[in-house]
């Protein structure tokens, strides 16, 4: 077999092996997507209840009028509650950027980083006015190379993140806010819409005020549905033993739910992007195999025709 045909055959075999790998990775990502969507559905029930309670407490102006330091030690679940609602002049803005640790996820990471950079530019500040807190290796590596202040990084988030992981992140972030590392915090992540669509979000998390609670609500139809539900059922609360002690329990849970929900949402978007990227890679591999097979068959047919012509010509010469 001619060397050119051997090279084409080698490329076909190599591409077939690549297609097998990308197809297997697509199946794995699809399985992870199904798992996290099931987990997220259960979590959203809890998160919506916590958000509903905090929303109504904010509507009653308890966040502005309550002194949480007056009751107990001002902490709940190891999170300093007083720091969650402390407002001060904004000199530094913290950005909790959620990306993936690995590649092969299509444009997932690049879209988040680009949108975060656009968010920074839109606020008319310089890079020195921001502190980056990176959840995921891609974001951490990018901003380190760019020279931004990466004050915190967390790598190795599970494929289906646990609440315990997020509690440690919230405790660290809250301590940094309390120590004045930054004066406000935005959570930047990719919101999962469907298998093919995701949308960047930058949600203000700290300090917790009535405005930040309103900003954290979903957009569009989801907001209308939520408002409709609130109109149908307006909860009434009797505060016992006191508003201060209730906020000590509810506010840390709300902060944790915001970060945990963002990480779950981002991971869901990551798995969907990975599944789509691997599906596209597999389809491109099969298209390349078809093209190479056609090229191989044509070259082989040409070689056979040439051999037949040479045999026929040699036989005619002998006659």
């Amino acid at each position: 077999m001619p060397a050119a045909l051997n090279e084409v055959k080698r490329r076909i075999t190599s591409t077939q092996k690549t297609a097998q790998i990308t197809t297997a990775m697509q199946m794995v990502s699809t399985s992870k997507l199904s798992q996290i969507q099931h987990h997220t559905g259960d979590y959203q029930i809890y998160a919506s209840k916590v958000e509903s309670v905090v929303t109504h407490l904010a509507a009653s102006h308890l966040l502005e009028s309550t002194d949480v330091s007056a009751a107990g030690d001002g902490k709940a679940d190891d999170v300093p509650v007083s720091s969650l609602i402390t407002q001060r002049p904004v000199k530094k803005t913290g950005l909790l950027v959620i990306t993936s640790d690995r590649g092969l996820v299509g444009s997932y990471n690049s879209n988040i980083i680009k949108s975060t950079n656009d968010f920074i530019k839109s606020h008319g500040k310089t890079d020195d006015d921001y502190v980056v807190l990176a959840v995921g290796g891609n974001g951490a590596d990018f901003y380190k190379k760019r020279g931004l202040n990466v004050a915190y990084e967390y790598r190795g988030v599970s494929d289906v993140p646990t609440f315990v992981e997020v509690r440690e992140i919230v405790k660290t972030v809250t301590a940094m806010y309390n120590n004045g590392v930054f004066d406000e915090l935005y959570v930047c992540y990719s919101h999962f819409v469907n298998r093919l669509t995701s949308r960047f979000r930058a949600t203000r998390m700290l300090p917790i005020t009535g405005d930040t609670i309103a900003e954290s609500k979903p957009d569009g139809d989801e907001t209308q549905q939520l408002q409709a539900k609130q109109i149908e059922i307006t909860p009434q609360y009797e505060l016992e033993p006191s508003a201060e002690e209730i906020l000590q329990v509810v506010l840390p849970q709300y902060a944790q739910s915001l970060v945990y929900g963002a990480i779950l949402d981002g991971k869901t978007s990551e798995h969907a992007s990975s599944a789509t990227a691997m599906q596209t890679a597999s389809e491109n591999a099969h298209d390349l195999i078809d093209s190479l097979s056609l090229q191989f068959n044509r070259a082989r047919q040409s070689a056979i025709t040439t051999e037949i012509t040479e045999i026929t010509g040699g036989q005619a010469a002998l006659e």
Side-chain angles (χ1 to χ4, degrees):
M1 186 179 294
L5 287 179
N6 281 330
E7 176 61 20
V8 174
K9 189 174 182 179
R10 186 193 64 78
R11 290 186 62 191
I12 291 174
T13 302
S14 175
T15 307
Q16 286 174 337
K17 292 179 180 178
T18 301
Q20 291 175 351
I21 295 173
T22 55
T23 300
M25 294 178 67
Q26 176 193 346
M27 294 173 63
V28 171
S29 296
T30 302
S31 175
K32 291 178 180 178
L33 177 61
S34 299
Q35 292 178 26
I36 199 169
Q37 282 183 304
H38 177 74
H39 183 75
T40 302
D42 295 337
Y43 166 75
Q44 285 176 342
I45 299 174
Y46 159 79
S48 64
K49 295 296 183 183
V50 174
E51 181 184 22
S52 177
V53 172
V54 176
T55 298
H56 285 88
L57 291 177
S60 302
H61 304 288
L62 286 177
L63 298 182
E64 291 80 6
S65 62
T66 302
D67 181 13
V68 294
S69 63
D73 59 1
K75 294 185 180 182
D77 199 20
D78 296 328
V79 177
V81 181
S82 59
S83 68
L84 296 177
I85 60 176
T86 299
Q87 300 185 58
R88 52 181 179 260
V90 177
K91 298 178 181 178
K92 287 275 188 179
T93 298
L95 298 176
L96 182 62
V97 184
I98 301 173
T99 59
S100 70
D101 289 311
R102 60 187 181 87
L104 301 177
V105 289
S107 60
Y108 171 77
N109 290 308
S110 60
N111 286 342
I112 294 173
I113 292 174
K114 179 181 181 300
S115 297
T116 301
N117 293 340
D118 292 341
F119 175 80
I120 293 175
K121 292 178 182 178
S122 67
H123 279 63
K125 298 182 178 181
T126 65
D127 291 347
D128 294 334
D129 296 322
Y130 288 91
V131 175
V132 175
L133 301 91
V135 176
N138 275 274
D141 294 339
F142 174 84
Y143 286 109
K144 281 182 178 179
K145 291 178 181 178
R146 190 182 177 189
L148 264 72
N149 180 14
V150 180
Y152 172 75
E153 61 178 284
Y154 186 96
R155 300 173 186 254
V157 177
S158 305
D159 291 326
V160 181
T162 63
F163 197 72
V164 175
E165 291 180 83
V166 175
R167 285 178 58 189
E168 294 302 317
I169 296 174
V170 174
K171 285 168 58 178
T172 303
V173 169
T174 305
M176 294 174 69
Y177 176 76
N178 196 37
N179 294 331
V181 177
F182 48 85
D183 305 300
E184 64 177 353
L185 177 68
Y186 284 86
V187 183
C188 304
Y189 65 101
S190 178
H191 167 59
F192 174 79
V193 179
N194 54 50
R195 281 284 299 269
L196 300 177
T197 306
S198 61
R199 186 181 300 119
F200 175 78
R201 278 185 178 174
T203 303
R204 193 169 180 234
M205 173 185 161
L206 292 175
I208 297 177
T209 64
D211 293 336
T212 59
I213 293 171
E215 290 175 9
S216 69
K217 292 184 179 298
D219 303 324
D221 295 337
E222 296 178 10
T223 301
Q224 296 177 0
Q225 294 172 5
L226 181 60
Q227 291 175 343
K229 291 180 181 179
Q230 292 177 344
I231 293 173
E232 293 174 4
I233 302 175
T234 303
Q236 301 294 327
Y237 297 101
E238 294 182 3
L239 304 181
E240 185 179 343
S242 68
E244 290 82 3
E245 293 182 357
I246 289 174
L247 289 178
Q248 288 178 30
V249 175
V250 174
L251 288 183
Q253 292 183 9
Y254 177 68
Q256 291 167 358
S257 71
L258 279 182
V259 179
Y260 187 46
I263 292 177
L264 276 179
D265 205 356
K267 271 292 180 182
T268 305
S269 181
E270 176 188 336
H271 294 323
S273 182
S274 177
T276 301
M278 293 302 99
Q279 179 181 358
T280 301
S282 298
E283 291 173 353
N284 290 339
H286 289 301
D287 290 342
L288 180 58
I289 290 171
D290 291 340
S291 176
L292 290 173
S293 297
L294 180 61
Q295 179 182 344
F296 178 82
N297 292 332
R298 284 178 175 174
R300 188 166 177 238
Q301 183 179 12
S302 176
I304 293 173
T305 303
T306 301
E307 290 178 4
I308 293 175
T309 302
E310 290 175 351
I311 294 172
T312 304
Q315 184 177 5
L318 292 174
E319 294 176 354

